């Protein structure tokens, strides 16, 4: 920038109230650019165009703290409008209409004497408390620099009207260059006023506090300009064209908000942060800065503007919203990994959009007028990336749960008993995993919550068979561990269906199947222990020995484990044990190693009856609800010991009615226990077959409730049975 001594420019604009300068004279060739050689004709010490531009630069530098910059856009616009006006001016003809000249001259004189009504009132007293007498004699540039914006505009408007009037009266017809220079001087002052408006806006949220007087002065100046230039002139004259200061103010507000928002997280490396901590810190700083600035706008800036009828709150709100959206889009571009994506989505959906974001209900961000913080396509991309990472994350979590369970098995840890049940952390780990991710996703959007539920259900469905296989192949298989796993699967089934209805129905079958697998393994271990004890039944030694107590002791021991299993599964397992004991007892009775005769047969019948009662009482005491099993052994015992042979048919009828799954082979095996003679056996067999056909015709070969007993008992075709059939 050249020094003041090397500049010869046009006259400095002064207040029209100065007696020595009623209007701006045409200077002609005396106006020179800042690069011209010094003119031999100067106007004393009055500063020129270069001084004006340096004053604006100093004001801008002081306001922004940066090196002064010209606004080439403003200057280009001013020059473009000026040249357009100069090209159009000669088009009026060489001689002006006399009546029109008289009217224009009269209007020009009036405009120089009486300012516009839009400039009355507040123009008589500066917002800084300086009276009009103290502002007299000051140049427009000084008024702008000292931020007497309304007074500066009034003087500029007065001078602008004078120039318009002189142009209309063809005063500059012989000196268009002089008019151009004076008009450019006015335009530059207007541009200087606009630049000062931007500087005030930039300073507003700075560390020096809010200058309420300057903001009120700014608002009044903008409104005065809008009243003075309501619409472009019909002749296209650039001097009276609207300056759009309100739009310039809004642009400055947006730029101020953008600069403020960009300060958050300066120096933080998003990619270098461990996990999501770096992004979380940036967003925390961003939220704190926006909250602090908008609170300042609402409590200090908005009241200052509101006094002049200026809607500052909404403008700042939209400006910060747009700046935050732009910053969030930049962060979204660099966000990678599950944690960072969630932090970003959560901040946008929950923190920024929260009614408590600004710290007070009356400062809440309106949800309707403001556009989405992230564009729909950006939001969709973030959710898609998040779900992709989520699938991998949840699968990894299930792998971790399985490894944790395997480590417990390897350490031979005995399951704890909590609230009377064997406890495994498996169900709690899975429920917490699902609930945590579903809750987190639901806080962002309902669509993401539904997607997360589907991902969790699919991952759990893949996990269950892996868990079953790993457990059954381990060395930890025992009643407590099996009971704990049964409880875990039952807890998952009931809790998942209750907490997330409609989402985990497809998992009910796999969970029930897993429970059945563990129950079956539990029964297999018991059956393996009980099987040898049944081999001594219905033998000669059995008649003289009490072999049932050891068998029932094992049942009682097993039942103590069932006390720590979920009631429904414990009852199912207990009934299955009850059915197994009765079934194996009958299987041994229907294929005896020896056949009893005479007193041994009667003693055997009585012993079977007593043992049937002992078995029934034991299981009844344990809580078995399988009462339908109580008739099987007594009926066979009655047939074996019945002395009145005609009553055997009645016992057969009771047996077939109670257990429709009995087959002809079973009837033959039962009849073979007695030596009733061929005719009686055939008659009884025919009657039994008729009953079986009637039962089958009535409803199938199974008893009510689908109970199965005889169907699973295999009987051999021995010589005695064949003889019975003859």
């Amino acid at each position: 920038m050249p020094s003041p001594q090397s500049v010869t420019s046009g006259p400095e604009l002064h207040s029209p109230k100065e007696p020595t300068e009623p209007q701006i004279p045409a200077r002609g060739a005396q106006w020179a650019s800042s690069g011209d050689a010094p003119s031999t004709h100067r106007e004393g010490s009055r500063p020129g165009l270069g001084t004006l531009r340096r004053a604006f630069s100093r004001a801008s530098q002081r306001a922004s703290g940066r090196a002064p910059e010209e606004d080439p856009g403003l200057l280009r616009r001013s020059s473009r409008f000026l040249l357009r006006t100069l090209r159009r001016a000669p088009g009026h003809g060489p001689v002006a209409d006399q009546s029109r000249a008289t009217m224009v001259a009269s209007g020009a004189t009036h405009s120089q004497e009486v300012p516009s009504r839009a400039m009355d009132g507040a123009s008589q007293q500066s917002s800084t408390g300086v009276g009009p007498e103290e502002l007299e004699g000051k140049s427009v540039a000084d008024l702008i620099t000292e931020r007497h914006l309304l007074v500066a505009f009034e003087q500029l408007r007065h001078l602008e009207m004078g120039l318009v009037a002189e142009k209309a009266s063809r005063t500059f017809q012989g000196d268009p260059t002089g008019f151009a220079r004076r008009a450019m001087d006015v335009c530059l002052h207007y541009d200087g006023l606009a630049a000062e408006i931007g500087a005030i806006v930039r300073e507003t949220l700075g560390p020096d506090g809010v200058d309420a007087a300057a903001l009120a002065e700014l608002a009044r100046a903008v409104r005065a300009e809008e009243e003075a230039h309501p619409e472009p002139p019909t002749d296209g004259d650039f001097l009276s064209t609207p300056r759009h200061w309100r739009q310039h103010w809004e642009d400055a507000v947006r730029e101020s908000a953008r600069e403020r928002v960009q300060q958050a997280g300066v120096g933080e490396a998003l990619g270098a942060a461990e996990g999501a901590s770096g992004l979380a810190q940036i967003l925390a700083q961003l939220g704190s800065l926006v909250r602090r600035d908008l609170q300042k706008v609402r409590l200090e800036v908005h009241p200052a503007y509101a006094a002049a009828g200026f809607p500052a709150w909404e403008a700042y709100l939209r400006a910060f919203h747009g700046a935050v959206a732009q910053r969030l889009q930049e962060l979204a571009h660099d966000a990678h990994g599950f944690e960072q994506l969630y932090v970003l989505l959560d901040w946008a959906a929950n923190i920024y959009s929260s009614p408590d974001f600004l710290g007070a209900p009356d400062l809440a961000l309106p949800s309707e007028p403001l556009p989405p913080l992230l564009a729909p396509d950006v939001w969709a991309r973030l959710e898609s990336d998040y779900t992709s990472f989520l699938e991998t994350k949840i699968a990894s979590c299930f792998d971790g749960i399985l490894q944790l369970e395997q480590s417990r098995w390897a350490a031979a840890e005995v399951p704890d008993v909590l609230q009377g049940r064997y406890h495994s952390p498996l169900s709690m780990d899975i429920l917490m995993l699902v609930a945590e991710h579903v809750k987190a996703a639901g806080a962002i959007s309902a669509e993401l919550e539904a997607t997360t539920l589907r991902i969790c259900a699919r991952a759990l469905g893949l996990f269950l068979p892996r868990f079953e296989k790993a457990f059954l192949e381990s060395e930890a298989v025992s009643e407590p561990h099996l009971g704990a796993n049964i409880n875990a699967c039952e807890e998952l089934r009931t809790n998942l269906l209750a907490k997330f209805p409609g989402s985990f129905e497809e998992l009910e079958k796999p969970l029930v199947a897993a429970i059945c697998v563990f129950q079956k393994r539990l029964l297999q271990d018991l059956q393996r222990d009980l099987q040898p004890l049944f081999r001594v039944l219905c033998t000669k030694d059995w008649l003289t020995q009490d072999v049932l107590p050891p068998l029932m002791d094992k049942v009682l021991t097993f039942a103590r484990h069932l006390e720590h299993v979920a009631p429904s599964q414990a009852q199912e397992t207990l009934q299955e044990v009850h059915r197994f004991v009765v079934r194996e007892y009958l299987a041994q009775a229907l294929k005896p190693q020896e056949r009893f005769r005479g007193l041994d047969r009667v003693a055997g019948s009585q012993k079977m009856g007593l043992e049937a009662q002992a078995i029934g009482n034991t299981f009844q005491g344990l809580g078995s609800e399988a009462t339908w099993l109580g008739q099987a052994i007594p009926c066979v015992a009655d047939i074996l010991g019945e002395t009145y042979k005609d009553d055997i048919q009645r016992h057969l009828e009771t047996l077939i009615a109670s257990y429709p799954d009995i087959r002809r082979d079973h009837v033959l095996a039962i009849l073979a226990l007695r030596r009733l003679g061929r005719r009686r056996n055939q008659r009884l067999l025919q009657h039994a077959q008729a009953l079986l056909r009637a039962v089958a015709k009535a409803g199938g070969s199974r008893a009510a409730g689908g109970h199965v007993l005889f169907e699973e008992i295999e009987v051999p075709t021995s010589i005695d049975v064949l003889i019975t059939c003859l």
Side-chain angles (χ1 to χ4, degrees), residues 291-310:
R291 186 182 302 108
R292 184 171 59 252
D293 282 356
L294 286 179
Q295 286 175 346
K296 187 175 185 179
V297 168
R298 187 66 169 177
L299 300 177
E300 301 181 49
V301 177
H302 176 69
Y305 280 112
F310 224 59

Side-chain angles (χ1 to χ4, degrees), residues 396-409 463:
S396 176
C397 289
F398 276 110
D399 289 341
I401 290 174
L402 181 57
Q403 292 173 4
L404 190 59
E405 289 295 316
Q406 288 174 324
S407 67
R408 293 194 185 101
W409 303 335
F463 169 79

Side-chain angles (χ1 to χ4, degrees), residues 22-343:
Q23 63 183 12
I24 299 178
R27 300 289 298 172
Q30 293 179 1
W31 291 76
S33 68
S34 60
D36 293 338
S39 173
T40 57
H41 183 69
R42 300 187 183 181
E43 192 170 356
S45 60
R46 295 174 62 184
L49 180 59
T51 306
L52 171 68
R53 294 166 71 178
R54 283 192 299 276
F56 292 159
S57 296
R58 286 194 302 271
S60 177
Q61 183 178 11
R62 182 199 63 216
S64 64
R66 298 179 297 181
E69 296 178 0
E70 298 276 355
D71 186 346
L74 290 172
L75 189 56
R76 283 196 299 270
R77 287 196 297 272
S78 299
S79 302
R80 187 169 63 251
F81 288 131
L82 176 61
L83 292 174
R84 190 186 306 161
T85 304
L86 290 175
R87 284 197 299 269
R88 187 167 52 248
H92 294 288
V95 180
D97 182 71
Q98 183 64 37
S99 61
R100 232 173 92 194
T102 305
M103 290 173 62
V104 170
S106 173
T109 305
H110 179 73
S111 67
Q112 294 182 40
E113 292 176 355
V114 182
S116 170
R117 284 178 296 174
M119 304 172 193
D120 291 343
S123 65
Q124 304 303 316
Q125 179 74 23
S126 170
S127 64
T128 58
V130 180
E133 63 281 354
E134 299 180 35
L135 300 179
E136 290 185 3
K138 288 191 175 184
S139 66
V140 175
D142 289 338
L143 291 173
I144 295 173
T145 303
E146 296 173 6
R147 295 188 171 174
H148 303 299
L149 304 184
L150 186 58
V151 178
F153 170 74
E154 291 172 355
Q155 294 191 15
L156 271 177
R157 174 60 178 159
H158 188 73
L159 297 171
E160 181 184 48
M161 293 170 63
L163 271 177
V164 171
E166 290 183 61
K167 175 187 172 185
S169 64
R170 299 183 179 276
T171 302
F172 291 101
Q173 190 170 8
D175 187 13
T177 305
F179 171 77
R181 285 175 175 166
R182 291 179 61 186
M184 179 64 75
D185 212 5
V186 171
C187 289
L188 286 173
H189 280 80
Y190 270 131
D191 293 346
L193 258 171
E196 196 65 25
I197 289 173
I200 292 173
V201 172
R202 284 193 299 273
E203 292 176 3
T204 298
L205 298 178
D208 296 335
V210 176
D211 187 347
L215 299 183
E217 181 85 356
L218 182 157
R220 284 192 288 267
V222 171
R223 294 191 63 189
E225 189 278 331
E226 289 175 338
E227 294 175 5
H229 304 136
E231 57 185 15
T234 56
D235 60 357
D237 192 345
F238 79 99
L239 280 174
S240 299
T241 191
R243 301 293 167 173
H244 304 293
W245 283 353
R246 186 182 293 267
Q247 181 63 44
H248 180 69
W249 174 81
E250 290 178 354
D251 293 342
V253 169
R254 282 192 290 271
E255 180 61 20
S256 173
R258 189 192 66 80
E259 291 176 354
R260 297 285 298 173
V261 166
Q262 289 297 326
Q263 294 176 11
V266 174
E268 294 287 342
L270 177 57
E274 190 70 29
S277 59
L279 178 59
Q281 185 175 356
I282 292 174
L283 293 174
Q285 293 179 12
L286 176 61
S288 176
L289 184 143
V290 172
R291 186 182 302 108
R292 184 171 59 252
D293 282 356
L294 286 179
Q295 286 175 346
K296 187 175 185 179
V297 168
R298 187 66 169 177
L299 300 177
E300 301 181 49
V301 177
H302 176 69
Y305 280 112
F310 224 59
W313 170 243
E314 184 175 353
Y316 270 98
L317 192 61
R318 291 184 176 276
F320 270 96
H321 183 75
V324 170
Q326 179 183 352
R327 185 68 192 281
L328 216 60
Q329 188 124 337
E330 296 170 359
L331 294 173
H333 183 269
D334 297 329
H336 301 289
F338 171 78
E339 289 81 7
Q340 286 189 350
L341 287 170
Y342 181 77
V343 166

